Coordinates of all heavy atoms in Angstrom, one line a residue:
G1 N -9.7 -11.5 -20.1 CA -10.4 -10.5 -19.5 C -10.0 -9.1 -20.0 O -9.0 -8.9 -20.4
K2 N -11.0 -8.3 -20.0 CA -10.7 -6.9 -20.3 C -10.1 -6.2 -19.1 O -10.1 -6.5 -18.0 CB -12.2 -6.2 -20.5 CG -13.0 -6.6 -21.7 CD -14.2 -5.9 -21.7 CE -15.1 -6.0 -23.0 NZ -16.2 -5.2 -22.8
M3 N -9.5 -5.1 -19.5 CA -8.9 -4.2 -18.5 C -9.9 -3.3 -17.9 O -11.1 -3.0 -18.6 CB -7.8 -3.3 -19.1 CG -6.6 -4.1 -19.7 SD -5.6 -5.0 -18.5 CE -4.9 -3.7 -17.6
A4 N -9.9 -3.0 -16.7 CA -10.9 -2.2 -16.0 C -11.4 -0.9 -16.7 O -12.6 -0.6 -16.8 CB -10.6 -1.9 -14.5
Q5 N -10.4 -0.3 -17.3 CA -10.7 1.0 -18.0 C -11.6 0.8 -19.3 O -12.1 1.7 -19.9 CB -9.4 1.8 -18.3 CG -8.5 1.3 -19.2 CD -7.3 0.6 -18.5 OE1 -7.5 0.2 -17.4 NE2 -6.2 0.4 -19.2
D6 N -11.5 -0.4 -19.8 CA -12.2 -0.8 -21.0 C -13.7 -1.3 -20.7 O -14.5 -1.5 -21.7 CB -11.5 -1.8 -21.9 CG -10.1 -1.2 -22.2 OD1 -10.0 0.1 -22.5 OD2 -9.3 -1.9 -22.5
M7 N -14.0 -1.4 -19.5 CA -15.3 -2.1 -19.0 C -16.3 -1.0 -18.9 O -16.1 0.2 -18.4 CB -15.1 -3.0 -17.9 CG -14.1 -4.0 -18.0 SD -13.8 -4.9 -16.6 CE -15.3 -5.8 -16.2
T8 N -17.6 -1.4 -19.1 CA -18.7 -0.4 -18.9 C -19.0 -0.4 -17.4 O -18.5 -1.3 -16.7 CB -20.0 -1.0 -19.6 OG1 -20.4 -2.2 -19.1 CG2 -19.7 -1.0 -21.1
E9 N -19.7 0.6 -16.9 CA -20.0 0.6 -15.6 C -20.9 -0.6 -15.1 O -20.5 -1.2 -14.0 CB -20.8 2.0 -15.3 CG -21.1 2.2 -13.8 CD -21.9 3.3 -13.4 OE1 -22.3 4.1 -14.4 OE2 -22.2 3.7 -12.3
K10 N -21.7 -1.1 -15.9 CA -22.4 -2.2 -15.6 C -21.6 -3.4 -15.4 O -21.7 -4.2 -14.5 CB -23.5 -2.6 -16.7 CG -24.4 -3.9 -16.4 CD -25.4 -4.0 -17.5 CE -26.2 -5.2 -17.2 NZ -27.3 -5.4 -18.4
E11 N -20.5 -3.6 -16.2 CA -19.6 -4.8 -16.2 C -18.8 -4.7 -14.8 O -18.5 -5.7 -14.2 CB -18.6 -4.8 -17.4 CG -19.4 -5.3 -18.6 CD -18.5 -5.2 -19.9 OE1 -17.7 -4.1 -20.0 OE2 -18.4 -6.0 -20.8
L12 N -18.4 -3.5 -14.6 CA -17.6 -3.2 -13.3 C -18.4 -3.6 -12.1 O -17.8 -4.2 -11.2 CB -17.1 -1.8 -13.2 CG -16.0 -1.4 -14.2 CD1 -15.8 0.2 -14.3 CD2 -14.7 -2.1 -13.9
L13 N -19.7 -3.1 -12.1 CA -20.6 -3.4 -11.0 C -20.8 -4.9 -10.9 O -20.8 -5.5 -9.8 CB -21.8 -2.7 -11.1 CG -21.7 -1.2 -11.0 CD1 -23.0 -0.5 -11.2 CD2 -21.4 -0.9 -9.5
K14 N -21.0 -5.6 -12.0 CA -21.2 -7.0 -11.9 C -19.9 -7.8 -11.4 O -20.1 -8.6 -10.6 CB -21.6 -7.7 -13.3 CG -21.8 -9.0 -13.4 CD -22.0 -9.7 -14.7 CE -22.3 -11.2 -14.7 NZ -21.6 -12.0 -13.6
M15 N -18.9 -7.3 -11.8 CA -17.5 -7.9 -11.3 C -17.5 -7.7 -9.8 O -17.0 -8.6 -9.1 CB -16.4 -7.2 -12.1 CG -15.0 -8.0 -11.9 SD -13.9 -7.3 -13.0 CE -13.2 -5.9 -12.1
E16 N -17.7 -6.5 -9.4 CA -17.6 -6.2 -7.9 C -18.7 -7.0 -7.1 O -18.3 -7.6 -6.1 CB -17.9 -4.8 -7.7 CG -17.9 -4.3 -6.1 CD -18.1 -2.8 -6.0 OE1 -18.2 -2.0 -6.9 OE2 -18.1 -2.4 -4.8
L17 N -19.9 -7.2 -7.7 CA -20.9 -8.0 -7.0 C -20.6 -9.5 -6.9 O -20.6 -10.1 -6.0 CB -22.2 -7.9 -7.7 CG -23.5 -8.6 -7.3 CD1 -23.8 -8.1 -5.8 CD2 -24.6 -8.5 -8.2
D18 N -19.9 -10.0 -8.0 CA -19.3 -11.3 -8.0 C -18.3 -11.6 -6.9 O -18.3 -12.6 -6.2 CB -18.8 -11.8 -9.4 CG -19.9 -11.8 -10.4 OD1 -21.1 -12.1 -10.2 OD2 -19.5 -11.9 -11.6
Q19 N -17.4 -10.6 -6.8 CA -16.4 -10.7 -5.8 C -17.0 -10.6 -4.3 O -16.6 -11.4 -3.6 CB -15.4 -9.5 -6.0 CG -14.2 -9.5 -5.0 CD -13.3 -10.8 -5.1 OE1 -13.2 -11.3 -6.1 NE2 -12.8 -11.2 -4.0
L20 N -18.0 -9.7 -4.2 CA -18.6 -9.6 -2.9 C -19.4 -10.9 -2.5 O -19.4 -11.2 -1.3 CB -19.6 -8.4 -2.8 CG -18.9 -7.0 -2.8 CD1 -19.9 -5.9 -3.0 CD2 -18.1 -6.9 -1.5
K21 N -20.0 -11.6 -3.5 CA -20.6 -12.8 -3.2 C -19.7 -13.9 -2.7 O -20.0 -14.8 -1.9 CB -21.3 -13.3 -4.5 CG -22.6 -12.6 -4.8 CD -23.2 -13.2 -6.1 CE -24.5 -12.4 -6.5 NZ -25.0 -12.8 -7.9
K22 N -18.4 -13.9 -3.3 CA -17.4 -14.8 -2.9 C -17.0 -14.4 -1.4 O -16.8 -15.4 -0.6 CB -16.1 -14.7 -3.8 CG -16.4 -15.3 -5.3 CD -15.1 -15.1 -6.0 CE -15.5 -15.4 -7.5 NZ -14.3 -15.0 -8.3
E23 N -16.7 -13.2 -1.1 CA -16.2 -12.7 0.1 C -17.2 -13.0 1.2 O -16.8 -13.3 2.3 CB -15.7 -11.3 0.1 CG -14.6 -11.0 -0.9 CD -14.1 -9.6 -0.9 OE1 -14.5 -8.9 0.1 OE2 -13.4 -9.2 -1.8
V24 N -18.6 -12.9 1.0 CA -19.6 -13.0 2.0 C -19.4 -14.3 2.7 O -19.9 -14.6 3.8 CB -20.9 -12.6 1.6 CG1 -21.6 -13.6 0.7 CG2 -21.8 -12.1 2.7
K25 N -19.0 -15.3 1.9 CA -18.9 -16.8 2.3 C -17.8 -17.0 3.3 O -17.6 -18.0 3.9 CB -18.9 -17.8 1.1 CG -20.1 -17.7 0.3 CD -19.9 -18.6 -1.0 CE -20.9 -18.4 -2.0 NZ -20.6 -18.9 -3.2
N26 N -16.8 -16.1 3.3 CA -15.6 -16.3 4.1 C -16.1 -16.3 5.7 O -16.8 -15.3 6.1 CB -14.5 -15.2 3.9 CG -13.9 -15.3 2.4 OD1 -13.9 -16.4 1.9 ND2 -13.2 -14.2 2.1
E27 N -15.5 -17.1 6.4 CA -15.7 -17.1 7.9 C -14.8 -16.0 8.4 O -13.7 -15.8 8.1 CB -15.2 -18.4 8.5 CG -15.4 -18.5 10.0 CD -14.8 -19.7 10.5 OE1 -14.6 -20.8 9.8 OE2 -14.6 -19.8 11.8
R28 N -15.6 -15.1 9.3 CA -14.9 -14.0 9.9 C -14.5 -14.3 11.3 O -15.1 -15.1 12.0 CB -15.8 -12.8 9.9 CG -16.3 -12.5 8.5 CD -16.4 -11.1 8.3 NE -16.9 -10.8 6.9 CZ -16.2 -10.3 6.0 NH1 -15.0 -9.9 6.2 NH2 -16.8 -10.1 4.7
Q29 N -13.3 -13.7 11.7 CA -12.8 -14.0 13.1 C -12.3 -12.7 13.6 O -11.9 -11.7 12.8 CB -11.6 -15.0 13.0 CG -12.1 -16.4 12.6 CD -11.0 -17.4 12.8 OE1 -9.8 -17.0 13.3 NE2 -11.3 -18.7 12.6
M30 N -12.3 -12.6 15.0 CA -11.8 -11.3 15.5 C -10.4 -11.1 15.4 O -9.6 -12.1 15.5 CB -12.2 -11.4 17.1 CG -13.6 -11.7 17.4 SD -14.6 -10.2 17.3 CE -14.1 -9.3 18.6
I31 N -10.0 -10.0 15.1 CA -8.6 -9.6 14.8 C -7.9 -9.8 16.2 O -6.7 -10.2 16.2 CB -8.3 -8.2 14.3 CG1 -6.9 -7.9 13.9 CG2 -8.7 -7.1 15.3 CD1 -6.5 -8.8 12.8
S32 N -8.4 -9.6 17.3 CA -7.8 -9.8 18.6 C -7.3 -11.4 18.7 O -6.2 -11.5 19.3 CB -8.7 -9.5 19.8 OG -9.9 -10.2 19.7
K33 N -8.0 -12.2 18.0 CA -7.8 -13.6 18.1 C -6.5 -13.9 16.9 O -5.6 -14.5 17.2 CB -8.8 -14.5 17.9 CG -8.5 -16.0 17.8 CD -10.0 -16.7 17.7 CE -9.6 -18.3 17.7 NZ -9.2 -18.8 16.3
T34 N -7.0 -13.5 15.8 CA -6.1 -13.9 14.6 C -4.7 -13.1 14.8 O -3.7 -13.7 14.3 CB -6.7 -13.6 13.2 OG1 -7.3 -12.3 13.2 CG2 -7.9 -14.5 13.0
G35 N -4.8 -11.9 15.2 CA -3.6 -11.1 15.4 C -2.6 -11.9 16.3 O -1.4 -11.9 16.0
K36 N -3.1 -12.4 17.5 CA -2.2 -13.0 18.3 C -1.7 -14.3 17.7 O -0.6 -14.7 17.8 CB -2.9 -13.4 19.6 CG -2.2 -14.1 20.7 CD -2.9 -14.6 21.9 CE -2.0 -15.3 23.0 NZ -1.0 -16.0 22.5
E37 N -2.5 -15.1 17.0 CA -2.1 -16.3 16.4 C -1.0 -16.1 15.3 O 0.0 -16.9 15.2 CB -3.3 -17.0 15.6 CG -4.2 -17.6 16.6 CD -5.4 -18.2 15.9 OE1 -5.7 -18.0 14.7 OE2 -6.4 -18.7 16.7
L38 N -1.1 -14.9 14.6 CA -0.2 -14.6 13.6 C 1.1 -14.2 14.1 O 2.2 -14.6 13.7 CB -0.8 -13.4 12.7 CG 0.0 -12.9 11.4 CD1 0.2 -14.2 10.5 CD2 -0.6 -11.8 10.8
K39 N 1.0 -13.4 15.3 CA 2.3 -12.9 15.9 C 3.0 -14.2 16.5 O 4.2 -14.3 16.4 CB 1.9 -12.0 17.2 CG 3.1 -11.6 17.9 CD 2.5 -10.6 19.1 CE 3.7 -10.2 20.1 NZ 3.8 -11.2 21.1
D40 N 2.3 -15.1 17.1 CA 2.9 -16.4 17.7 C 3.5 -17.2 16.6 O 4.6 -17.7 16.7 CB 1.9 -17.2 18.5 CG 1.3 -16.6 19.7 OD1 1.9 -15.6 20.2 OD2 0.3 -16.9 20.2
Y41 N 2.8 -17.3 15.6 CA 3.5 -18.1 14.3 C 4.7 -17.5 13.9 O 5.7 -18.1 13.7 CB 2.4 -18.2 13.2 CG 3.0 -18.8 12.0 CD1 3.2 -20.2 11.9 CD2 3.4 -18.1 10.9 CE1 3.6 -20.8 10.9 CE2 3.9 -18.7 9.9 CZ 4.1 -20.0 9.7 OH 4.6 -20.7 8.6
I42 N 4.7 -16.1 13.6 CA 5.9 -15.4 13.2 C 7.1 -15.5 14.1 O 8.2 -15.9 13.7 CB 5.6 -13.9 12.9 CG1 4.6 -13.8 11.7 CG2 6.8 -13.1 12.7 CD1 4.0 -12.4 11.5
E43 N 6.7 -15.5 15.5 CA 7.8 -15.6 16.4 C 8.4 -17.1 16.4 O 9.5 -17.2 16.6 CB 7.3 -15.2 17.9 CG 7.2 -13.7 17.9 CD 6.6 -13.1 19.2 OE1 6.1 -14.0 20.0 OE2 6.5 -11.8 19.3
S44 N 7.4 -18.0 16.2 CA 7.9 -19.4 16.4 C 8.8 -19.7 15.1 O 9.6 -20.7 15.2 CB 6.8 -20.4 16.4 OG 6.0 -20.5 15.1
M45 N 8.5 -19.0 14.0 CA 9.3 -19.4 12.8 C 10.6 -18.4 12.6 O 11.4 -18.7 11.6 CB 8.5 -19.2 11.5 CG 7.2 -20.1 11.5 SD 7.5 -21.8 11.7 CE 8.1 -22.1 9.9
A46 N 10.8 -17.5 13.5 CA 11.8 -16.5 13.3 C 13.3 -17.2 13.3 O 14.2 -16.6 12.5 CB 11.8 -15.5 14.5
G47 N 13.4 -18.3 14.0 CA 14.7 -19.0 13.9 C 15.2 -19.5 12.5 O 16.4 -19.8 12.3
E48 N 14.1 -19.7 11.7 CA 14.3 -20.4 10.5 C 14.2 -19.4 9.3 O 14.3 -19.7 8.1 CB 13.4 -21.6 10.2 CG 13.4 -22.6 11.2 CD 12.2 -23.5 11.2 OE1 11.7 -23.8 10.0 OE2 11.7 -24.0 12.2
D49 N 14.0 -18.1 9.7 CA 13.8 -17.1 8.6 C 15.1 -16.6 8.1 O 15.8 -15.9 8.8 CB 13.0 -15.9 9.3 CG 12.5 -14.9 8.3 OD1 13.2 -14.7 7.1 OD2 11.4 -14.3 8.5
P50 N 15.3 -16.9 6.8 CA 16.7 -16.4 6.2 C 16.8 -14.9 6.2 O 18.0 -14.5 6.1 CB 16.6 -16.9 4.8 CG 15.3 -17.3 4.5 CD 14.6 -17.6 5.8
L51 N 15.6 -14.3 6.1 CA 15.7 -12.7 6.2 C 16.3 -12.2 7.5 O 16.8 -11.1 7.5 CB 14.3 -12.1 5.7 CG 13.9 -12.4 4.3 CD1 12.5 -11.9 4.2 CD2 14.9 -11.9 3.3
L52 N 16.0 -13.0 8.5 CA 16.5 -12.6 9.8 C 17.8 -13.1 10.2 O 18.7 -12.4 10.8 CB 15.5 -13.0 11.0 CG 14.1 -12.3 10.9 CD1 13.1 -12.9 11.9 CD2 14.2 -10.9 11.2
K53 N 18.1 -14.4 9.9 CA 19.4 -14.9 10.4 C 20.5 -15.0 9.2 O 21.5 -15.2 9.5 CB 19.2 -16.2 10.9 CG 18.7 -17.3 10.0 CD 18.8 -18.7 10.7 CE 18.8 -19.8 9.7 NZ 19.2 -21.1 10.2
G54 N 20.0 -14.7 8.0 CA 21.0 -14.7 6.9 C 21.0 -16.1 6.3 O 20.5 -17.0 6.7
V55 N 21.7 -16.2 5.1 CA 21.9 -17.4 4.4 C 23.4 -17.7 4.4 O 24.2 -16.9 4.0 CB 21.3 -17.3 2.9 CG1 21.6 -18.6 2.2 CG2 20.0 -16.8 2.9
P56 N 23.8 -19.0 4.7 CA 25.2 -19.4 4.7 C 25.8 -19.1 3.3 O 25.0 -19.4 2.2 CB 25.3 -20.8 5.1 CG 23.8 -21.1 5.6 CD 22.9 -20.1 5.1
E57 N 26.9 -18.7 3.1 CA 27.6 -18.4 1.7 C 27.5 -19.7 0.8 O 27.2 -19.5 -0.4 CB 29.0 -18.0 1.9 CG 29.1 -16.5 2.4 CD 28.6 -15.6 1.5 OE1 28.9 -15.6 0.3 OE2 28.0 -14.6 1.9
D58 N 27.7 -20.9 1.3 CA 27.7 -21.9 0.5 C 26.3 -22.4 0.0 O 26.2 -23.3 -0.9 CB 28.4 -23.1 1.2 CG 27.9 -23.5 2.5 OD1 27.2 -22.7 3.2 OD2 27.9 -24.7 2.9
K59 N 25.3 -21.9 0.6 CA 23.8 -22.4 0.3 C 23.2 -21.2 -0.5 O 22.0 -21.4 -0.6 CB 23.1 -22.7 1.6 CG 23.7 -24.0 2.3 CD 22.6 -24.8 2.9 CE 23.0 -26.0 3.6 NZ 24.2 -26.7 3.5
N60 N 23.8 -20.1 -0.6 CA 23.2 -18.9 -1.3 C 23.2 -19.2 -2.8 O 24.2 -18.9 -3.5 CB 24.0 -17.7 -0.9 CG 23.2 -16.5 -1.5 OD1 22.3 -16.6 -2.2 ND2 23.7 -15.2 -1.0
P61 N 21.9 -19.4 -3.3 CA 21.9 -19.6 -4.8 C 22.1 -18.3 -5.6 O 22.4 -18.4 -6.9 CB 20.5 -20.1 -5.1 CG 19.7 -19.5 -3.9 CD 20.6 -19.4 -2.8
F62 N 22.2 -17.2 -4.9 CA 22.3 -15.9 -5.6 C 23.7 -15.3 -5.5 O 24.0 -14.2 -6.1 CB 21.3 -14.9 -5.2 CG 19.9 -15.3 -5.2 CD1 19.2 -15.8 -4.2 CD2 19.3 -15.3 -6.5 CE1 17.8 -16.2 -4.3 CE2 18.0 -15.8 -6.8 CZ 17.3 -16.2 -5.7
K63 N 24.5 -16.0 -4.8 CA 26.0 -15.6 -4.7 C 26.7 -15.6 -6.0 O 26.5 -16.5 -6.9 CB 26.7 -16.6 -3.8 CG 28.2 -16.1 -3.6 CD 28.9 -17.1 -2.7 CE 30.4 -16.8 -2.5 NZ 31.1 -17.8 -2.0
E64 N 27.3 -14.6 -6.3 CA 28.1 -14.5 -7.7 C 29.3 -15.6 -7.7 O 30.0 -15.7 -6.8 CB 28.6 -13.1 -7.8 CG 27.6 -12.0 -7.9 CD 28.0 -10.8 -8.7 OE1 29.0 -10.8 -9.4 OE2 27.3 -9.8 -8.5
K65 N 29.2 -16.2 -8.9 CA 30.1 -17.4 -9.0 C 31.5 -16.9 -9.3 O 32.5 -17.5 -8.9 CB 29.6 -18.4 -10.1 CG 28.2 -18.9 -9.8 CD 28.1 -19.8 -8.7 CE 26.7 -20.3 -8.6 NZ 26.0 -20.2 -7.3
G66 N 31.5 -15.9 -10.0 CA 33.0 -15.4 -10.3 C 32.9 -13.9 -10.7 O 31.8 -13.3 -10.7
G67 N 34.1 -13.3 -10.8 CA 34.0 -11.9 -11.2 C 34.1 -11.6 -12.7 O 33.9 -12.6 -13.5
C68 N 34.1 -10.5 -13.0 CA 34.2 -10.0 -14.4 C 35.4 -9.2 -14.6 O 35.6 -8.3 -13.8 CB 32.9 -9.2 -14.6 SG 32.8 -8.5 -16.2
I69 N 36.2 -9.5 -15.7 CA 37.4 -8.7 -15.9 C 37.2 -7.8 -17.1 O 36.8 -8.5 -18.2 CB 38.6 -9.6 -16.0 CG1 38.8 -10.4 -14.8 CG2 39.8 -8.8 -16.3 CD1 39.8 -11.4 -14.7
I70 N 37.3 -6.6 -17.1 CA 37.3 -5.8 -18.2 C 38.7 -5.4 -18.7 O 39.4 -4.8 -17.8 CB 36.4 -4.5 -18.1 CG1 34.9 -5.0 -17.6 CG2 36.4 -3.5 -19.2 CD1 34.1 -3.9 -17.2
S71 N 39.1 -5.6 -19.9 CA 40.3 -5.1 -20.3 C 40.4 -4.2 -21.6 O 39.4 -4.1 -22.2 CB 41.2 -6.4 -20.6 OG 40.6 -7.3 -21.5

């Protein structure tokens, strides 16, 4: 694909139209409903969220294995 700055106005409009054709098929729902569902889901998963509860040192794949000595 071309970069947007290299496209003609007609190509950009066609790309936008193609995207809108895809989006118009999406089922829409009220944010009052989906917002509550999303909040409930996030709260139900909070106990397993490593960003909230941390990662045990022995299970942390990013923990530094050793130090570095400069002499």
Side-chain angles (χ1 to χ4, degrees):
K2 290 181 175 179
M3 298 296 287
Q5 65 264 25
D6 298 330
M7 296 173 74
T8 65
E9 185 177 3
K10 183 179 178 182
E11 289 172 318
L12 287 169
L13 289 171
K14 183 185 180 327
M15 195 169 82
E16 184 178 356
L17 183 61
D18 290 342
Q19 182 63 33
L20 290 171
K21 284 178 182 177
K22 291 177 193 171
E23 289 180 20
V24 78
K25 296 174 189 165
N26 290 344
E27 180 184 340
R28 306 217 178 246
Q29 294 189 356
M30 301 284 287
I31 189 64
S32 55
K33 177 179 183 286
T34 55
K36 181 183 181 327
E37 290 173 357
L38 186 57
K39 178 178 172 278
D40 292 345
Y41 174 77
I42 290 169
E43 289 175 350
S44 74
M45 301 302 284
E48 301 166 36
D49 191 330
L51 295 175
L52 293 175
K53 70 174 200 162
V55 177
E57 286 294 318
D58 60 332
K59 296 215 183 340
N60 185 351
F62 302 104
K63 179 182 176 195
E64 295 206 17
K65 305 290 186 237
C68 174
I69 299 171
I70 300 173
S71 54

